[in-house]
Amino acid sequence: MVKKEISKSVLKRLPGYVAYLKAMPNTGSPYISATALANALGMGEVQVRKDLAMVSDGGRPKIGYLRETLIEDIEQFLGYDNTTDAVMIGAGKLGQALLDYVGFSEYGLNILAAFDIAPKANKTEEGKPIFHMDMLESFCKENKVIMGIITVPAAHAQEVCNRLIKCGIKAVWNFAPVHLDVPDNILVQNENMATSLAVLSMHLQAQMKEKK
Amino acid sequence: MVKKEISKSVLKRLPGYVAYLKAMPNTGSPYISATALANALGMGEVQVRKDLAMVSDGGRPKIGYLRETLIEDIEQFLGYDNTTDAVMIGAGKLGQALLDYVGFSEYGLNILAAFDIAPKANKTEEGKPIFHMDMLESFCKENKVIMGIITVPAAHAQEVCNRLIKCGIKAVWNFAPVHLDVPDNILVQNENMATSLAVLSMHLQAQMKEKK
DNA sequence: TAGATTGTTAATCGATTAACAATC
DNA sequence: TAGATTGTTAATCGATTAACAATC
């Protein structure tokens, strides 16, 4: 594996490759070419080849990549193998749905617990603990948590974020539709549904106009 | 308003402006400058000014934009004013959380109903109907639905997507972590959590290395 | 060997940023 | 008028695509 500096655009495409490689139909051969992968995902083959070259050096001319190895290389690159412990703030419906979503473990994410100002239960259906916000600081310190997931209403997100940073969190996954102000060394990744909706809505508007 | 061809990058930033403009503290003045907006959101002021110029012509030198008008202009541009009817396929935990999320109406999205192969109830807590998949075709035709939201497991997403397209759907919001193959005139917008996680995980890895 | 596929180097494209003229 | 802010035109930057040499 060749860990060069990787751009965000490349990084964002990698999970798609892994997902496909893992789920792909058995072709009889243990190898897969960048070309085949590109076709399956509707992407340009040069782009796929370049992306793969960033994270693996197992590509062999005429043959392609050994599927198993390629999966391992990308997963290692993405850090799926060493799990990250996270806490979630806000145990509303969305929060609980995410908490109980088992798929995250595949990506190396382990949500330890949720915190809420007024917990409606002390655990989710799947048994993940839900604590009162008062416990946040001590829990984070004890468990050396470095990632926080924010699923509180927009109005409280910044305040929660500040508190998380004080707890030593280095990365925030933000589901609240607001911009969060943070110091330079903290990363905020916004999961912004409004953004997706804007793209969809624009497409539909364009289609409507066409039809007329 | 000046509707030029707009790029996806610009489009994706617009919802953030609206959100801030709506929630911003009252400054006493009904005006706001691109500079002020940029500072509040941690963005470049030239970028904000250019983005705003795409959707509004209400900017006045020395003064800025009339906040109310600017909100209206962007919202109209994004189509928040004419609502889009959508159906959701998959009424699991995530699906139900999204179904009951009231915030979507703000963005002009109206989820009419959910469909599931084995509905656990006939409506959500908030009273949104959940039907059996058998009803999908007739419902879509009756209600002239043009958008579908997919929250089924990855393995069934493509099949569901095909069925939606047969129902006349023009845009798909895909929460399943798979690539969907669709005809050219259909838009798939992926809400891909794995992508976000990759970005977060990479940041954390980089931070760890730094510390050593 | 011939051909498929890789990885790299160069060209193109698009988006962001910087510089500047216009204006209230 | 002077200065803040707008909108536009030009320069820079980064990412994608195309061309090509290397190789099994």
Side-chain angles (χ1 to χ4, degrees):
Chain A
M1 194 187 34
V2 207
K3 267 201 193 179
K4 295 177 202 173
E5 265 310 307
I6 205 168
S7 76
K8 228 180 199 179
S9 343
V10 177
L11 184 53
K12 285 184 178 171
R13 286 191 294 263
L14 294 177
Y17 301 141
V18 178
Y20 180 76
L21 289 169
K22 282 189 159 177
M24 72 182 269
N26 194 329
T27 56
S29 161
Y31 290 93
I32 181 165
S33 72
T35 317
L37 192 49
N39 287 340
L41 297 176
M43 301 172 65
E45 57 171 293
V46 186
Q47 187 170 64
V48 174
R49 207 176 300 135
K50 252 193 157 173
D51 287 353
L52 297 187
M54 293 295 285
V55 295
S56 169
D57 51 10
R60 288 163 61 191
K62 165 115 177 151
I63 295 170
Y65 291 82
L66 195 53
R67 189 172 136 255
E68 282 301 335
T69 314
L70 186 54
I71 294 176
E72 277 168 31
D73 283 347
I74 307 179
E75 290 198 324
Q76 200 201 328
F77 187 90
L78 289 174
Y80 285 2
D81 44 359
N82 50 0
T83 61
T84 304
D85 288 339
V87 289
M88 170 175 282
I89 319 299
K93 267 175 215 161
L94 178 63
Q96 292 205 34
L98 293 173
L99 262 177
D100 281 352
Y101 179 56
V102 288
F104 289 142
S105 64
E106 235 178 280
Y107 308 128
L109 177 70
N110 180 27
I111 309 179
L112 297 173
F115 295 83
D116 202 292
I117 30 164
K120 288 191 190 67
N122 62 5
K123 57 175 200 260
T124 65
E125 280 178 40
E126 302 291 329
K128 293 260 183 179
I130 305 174
F131 298 117
H132 190 274
M133 278 298 279
D134 292 346
M135 312 287 291
L136 182 63
E137 281 76 10
S138 60
F139 186 92
C140 287
K141 257 155 218 170
E142 255 172 53
N143 294 277
K144 296 207 176 66
V145 180
I146 52 171
M147 186 168 145
I149 305 171
I150 298 184
T151 55
V152 301
H156 299 109
Q158 180 68 60
E159 169 201 338
V160 162
C161 180
N162 296 343
R163 215 167 139 182
L164 282 169
I165 292 171
K166 268 191 205 145
C167 294
I169 250 111
K170 301 296 177 207
V172 171
W173 197 6
N174 178 34
F175 284 80
V178 265
H179 166 78
L180 297 176
D181 255 321
V182 295
D184 276 350
N185 61 326
I186 309 287
L187 178 73
V188 173
Q189 177 70 25
N190 294 301
E191 197 68 43
N192 201 333
M193 314 237 175
T195 285
S196 294
L197 277 171
V199 176
L200 286 163
S201 159
M202 196 54 52
H203 170 80
L204 289 173
Q205 275 184 47
Q207 278 231 341
M208 292 302 166
K209 218 180 283 172
E210 230 169 73
K211 257 194 178 167
K212 275 179 203 164
Chain B
M1 194 184 37
V2 207
K3 266 201 192 177
K4 295 177 201 173
E5 265 311 307
I6 205 166
S7 76
K8 228 179 200 179
S9 344
V10 177
L11 184 53
K12 284 184 178 172
R13 286 192 294 265
L14 295 177
Y17 300 141
V18 179
Y20 180 76
L21 290 169
K22 281 188 160 177
M24 72 180 270
N26 193 329
T27 56
S29 161
Y31 290 93
I32 181 164
S33 72
T35 317
L37 191 50
N39 288 338
L41 297 177
M43 302 171 66
E45 57 171 293
V46 187
Q47 186 170 65
V48 174
R49 208 176 298 134
K50 252 193 158 173
D51 287 353
L52 298 188
M54 293 295 285
V55 295
S56 168
D57 52 10
R60 288 164 59 192
K62 167 117 176 150
I63 294 172
Y65 291 81
L66 195 53
R67 189 172 136 255
E68 283 300 336
T69 314
L70 186 54
I71 294 175
E72 278 167 32
D73 283 348
I74 307 179
E75 290 199 323
Q76 200 202 327
F77 187 90
L78 290 173
Y80 285 3
D81 45 358
N82 50 1
T83 61
T84 304
D85 288 339
V87 289
M88 169 175 281
I89 318 298
K93 268 177 215 159
L94 179 63
Q96 291 204 35
L98 294 173
L99 261 177
D100 280 352
Y101 180 55
V102 287
F104 289 143
S105 64
E106 236 178 278
Y107 308 128
L109 177 69
N110 181 28
I111 310 179
L112 297 173
F115 295 83
D116 202 291
I117 30 164
K120 288 191 191 64
N122 62 5
K123 56 175 199 257
T124 66
E125 280 179 40
E126 302 291 328
K128 293 259 185 181
I130 305 174
F131 298 118
H132 190 276
M133 278 299 278
D134 292 346
M135 311 286 291
L136 183 62
E137 280 76 10
S138 60
F139 186 92
C140 287
K141 258 155 218 171
E142 255 172 53
N143 294 276
K144 296 206 176 68
V145 180
I146 52 172
M147 184 168 145
I149 305 171
I150 298 184
T151 55
V152 300
H156 299 109
Q158 181 68 59
E159 169 202 336
V160 161
C161 180
N162 296 344
R163 213 166 142 185
L164 281 169
I165 293 171
K166 267 190 206 147
C167 294
I169 250 110
K170 300 298 177 206
V172 170
W173 197 7
N174 178 34
F175 284 80
V178 265
H179 166 78
L180 298 177
D181 256 321
V182 294
D184 275 349
N185 62 325
I186 309 288
L187 177 74
V188 174
Q189 176 70 26
N190 294 300
E191 197 69 42
N192 200 332
M193 313 238 176
T195 285
S196 295
L197 277 170
V199 176
L200 286 162
S201 159
M202 196 52 53
H203 170 81
L204 289 172
Q205 275 184 48
Q207 278 232 339
M208 292 303 169
K209 218 180 284 172
E210 229 169 75
K211 255 193 179 168
K212 272 178 203 163

